[in-house]
Amino acid sequence: MTIPSELLAPDYSGGSLNNLVAELEWRLTGSAPAPRLRTDVADRIPTAATYILFLIDGLGVHQLRHPAAGGLASSHRGTIHAPFPTTTTVSLACVATGLPPARHGFIGHFLLLNSHPRPVNGLRWIDTAGRPVASYAAGLLPAPNLWERLGAAGVEAITVQPDAFAGTPLTKSLYRGCRFEGVTGTDELVRATVELARVPGRLLFVYYHLVDIAAHMQGPSSRAYAHAVADASNAWERISARLPGHVAMVGTADHGVLSIPEPGKLRLRSRDTPGLTLFGDPRSLYVTGPRERIEELGERLPAAWHPRETLARLWGAGADRGARVQPGRVRKPTGAFLADRGRVLLPGHMDTRLVGYHGGLEPEEVEIPVLLSG
């Protein structure tokens, strides 16, 4: 099944998040396992001895129109694609490996693992029964990852993130081989980033999370969201103004966000889906089970069905010539229901309280910025 023209399939050949990572890796080491960024965007990134990749969680290109975006909007130099599904864990795995989802294996917010009977929340590493499954996070991503390849080439990799994320199963999975610099608050993030960037021969990955939280909980029209965007923009401008000449800072995001009003939320009870396992994301709901049951469910959903063959292309299979799909611990679904615009599909283990959602292929979810300081 083809993807409708109004939706965006990620361009892993040179226009996606992992290609931006590959571009920076290639500049620092002379090689990368995935295609570099397409030249119309890459040529705008200056040559540098140290690079900062500043990722603002949840800030898609369309959100740069917000009045609070300020310096972020004026720094916009290009547009690329978030990977599929357009969700944080998948994108952060693309950063940590420099690979598309088909090769790193992290293919959704909720994962179905070969060694566990229930779907697992890949952000928190608990299953749908609330049971901790942290041991499964270790070794999920392929080796060597980006940080290990950089280290082998003599480039120091450092991530600057909220101190609360230190030591979590997701952090241990994503940042193996990367120095973790925990910070408390935006002021400390700015100070740490500027100080760490003074040393040549580094890649700093700076992660800002408050825009995504505000978008989820209060929505992109809220005062909380405006405050978070303004804070992110202020941090970007303060860092930019204080960087030494050997440093280039590149900004981007992991996905954009759509507001979903309450009538757009379809709750799916277990008795409505007998014999089926539902996982993935609310905007791209993975399904495993008998095809006749899937067809029955599909007749009742405001969504389009896409079989595994289509999903493989959306994950980036075949995007790299000669690439081998990473044989990880994750089970692939029979297919996925991509929710219609303005709708989310919510099994009992997915959060129904949110205002902002993502995970699908609408331009607002897929298009992410390339920002350049200076």
Side-chain angles (χ1 to χ4, degrees), residues 65-76:
R65 301 168 184 167
H66 195 285
L72 296 172
S74 63
S75 299
H76 184 206

Side-chain angles (χ1 to χ4, degrees), residues 116-191:
H116 196 75
R118 298 183 182 89
V120 171
N121 182 322
L123 194 63
R124 300 172 60 199
W125 286 95
I126 58 173
D127 66 16
T128 52
R131 181 186 310 165
V133 290
S135 62
Y136 293 113
L140 178 70
L141 297 180
N145 63 19
L146 170 68
W147 324 116
E148 292 164 336
R149 294 193 302 270
L150 290 171
V155 177
E156 186 177 12
I158 305 173
T159 184
V160 180
Q161 304 211 19
D163 190 61
F165 297 163
T168 67
L170 182 64
T171 293
K172 290 179 179 178
S173 177
L174 290 174
Y175 302 108
R176 184 185 67 238
C178 185
R179 171 180 162 187
F180 187 96
E181 188 76 18
V183 296
T184 303
T186 303
D187 288 345
E188 195 170 326
L189 179 144
V190 170
R191 287 195 298 269

Side-chain angles (χ1 to χ4, degrees), residues 75 194 234-244 249 372-374:
S75 299
V194 173
N234 180 261
W236 171 267
E237 293 181 278
R238 289 163 62 195
I239 294 170
S240 298
R242 296 167 59 187
L243 290 178
M249 183 164 67
L372 293 178
S373 63

Side-chain angles (χ1 to χ4, degrees), residues 266 268 285 287 294 296-304 337 340 345:
L266 180 62
L268 298 173
L285 186 66
V287 185
I294 294 174
E296 292 173 4
L297 176 62
E299 292 175 357
R300 299 182 275 119
L301 296 184
F337 286 107
D340 295 346
L345 312 175

